[in-house]
Amino acid sequence: MSGAGGITRTRQDIAAGDIPVDTPRLPAREAAESELSKPMYHENDPNFLQRALNQFWDWVAGVFDAAARAAPGGPAGLAVLVVIVIGLAAALWWRLGTPQRSARNTDALFDSTGPRSAAQHRATAEAHAAALRWTEAVQERMRAIVRSLEERALLDPRPGRTADEAAAEAGRTLPEHAARLRAAARSFDDVTYGGRTADRSAYLSLRTLDLELDEAKPLLPGTSRGATG
């Protein structure tokens, strides 16, 4: 019934406690979650990796924000501290060398468990050469060269010295043989670290250099090249 009678009837129903029933909150939320869980609503969502990366970068940003608030001078002070830390790390890297180089230096030239004389290295080299093991012969002959220079006090004994370092140091004392010392060091590096195989000529070259160095006169400090001989 319309009009005033309808309004009066509605007020009477409400007064009598006949209040319209709303949908309860919990079932409504469950219905909404069920609807939103459908695949059609998640086609463009980031995958697991993207979500993990986003969380990681959010964490990094939070760390930098916290550091910037704690650092003197705020973000500018933090930038200065970062530059200082990078500079110190670069200085240590340059001074101590890379970890790979340090690990390699421990057995770069002499890999035996105890020190051996030049004569022992020469004997081992000759044994390898007799068996046509030219790679091992080249390695042992280079060790014999360096050990001989150490025994003659032309090189200071130093654990971890590489063939290149030994050649460079010896070349300053024996300048007439500097180029051949560098070539010998390259041959050692090629067969030891470069995966190359030595041959008879490579070994004979080192053998000849070893014999010549044994008779060579060093360039003493304060002496010019022309005064040697």
Side-chain angles (χ1 to χ4, degrees):
M1 184 176 182
S2 61
I7 296 174
T8 301
R9 174 62 179 171
T10 301
R11 288 176 178 174
Q12 291 174 350
D13 292 340
I14 294 174
D18 189 12
I19 301 174
V21 179
D22 294 332
T23 304
R25 182 176 299 177
L26 183 58
R29 186 177 67 183
E30 292 177 347
E33 291 177 351
S34 177
E35 177 65 21
L36 292 175
S37 66
K38 294 179 179 180
M40 62 181 293
Y41 295 106
H42 302 278
E43 293 177 353
N44 298 320
D45 286 355
N47 57 33
F48 174 78
L49 178 59
Q50 290 173 327
R51 292 196 302 271
L53 288 174
N54 291 338
Q55 292 177 356
F56 171 75
W57 290 119
D58 289 342
W59 175 80
V60 171
V63 169
F64 274 96
D65 289 342
R69 288 193 297 269
L78 177 62
V80 173
L81 290 176
V82 170
V83 171
I84 292 174
V85 171
I86 293 175
L88 291 174
L92 287 173
W93 189 278
W94 177 82
R95 180 67 181 84
L96 301 178
T98 64
Q100 181 180 4
R101 178 63 178 272
S102 298
R104 171 179 151 177
N105 282 353
T106 58
D107 61 348
L109 193 57
F110 299 105
D111 57 0
S112 59
T113 56
R116 302 171 64 198
S117 66
Q120 289 174 315
H121 284 294
R122 289 185 182 116
T124 303
E126 288 295 305
H128 285 308
L132 305 183
R133 293 189 295 267
W134 302 116
T135 295
E136 292 83 352
V138 164
Q139 292 171 325
E140 284 300 311
R141 203 75 197 197
M142 185 64 196
R143 291 174 181 132
I145 290 173
V146 175
R147 184 66 79 205
S148 176
L149 294 173
E150 291 177 349
E151 291 173 353
R152 295 173 60 193
L154 300 182
L155 285 179
D156 294 328
R158 178 160 58 84
R161 177 189 277 124
T162 65
D164 291 329
E165 292 168 345
E169 294 172 24
R172 290 190 288 269
T173 305
L174 299 164
E176 300 298 329
H177 298 83
R180 294 173 64 192
L181 281 164
R182 290 193 299 269
R186 283 196 300 270
S187 296
F188 178 89
D189 289 342
D190 286 345
V191 300
T192 305
Y193 310 112
R196 297 186 182 180
T197 302
D199 55 18
R200 181 175 181 272
S201 63
Y203 174 70
L204 293 179
S205 177
L206 264 71
R207 184 177 183 274
T208 300
L209 176 62
D210 185 19
L211 296 176
E212 291 181 5
L213 288 175
D214 202 38
E215 301 294 332
K217 295 180 179 180
L219 180 66
L220 300 178
T223 303
S224 62
R225 290 191 184 186
T228 62

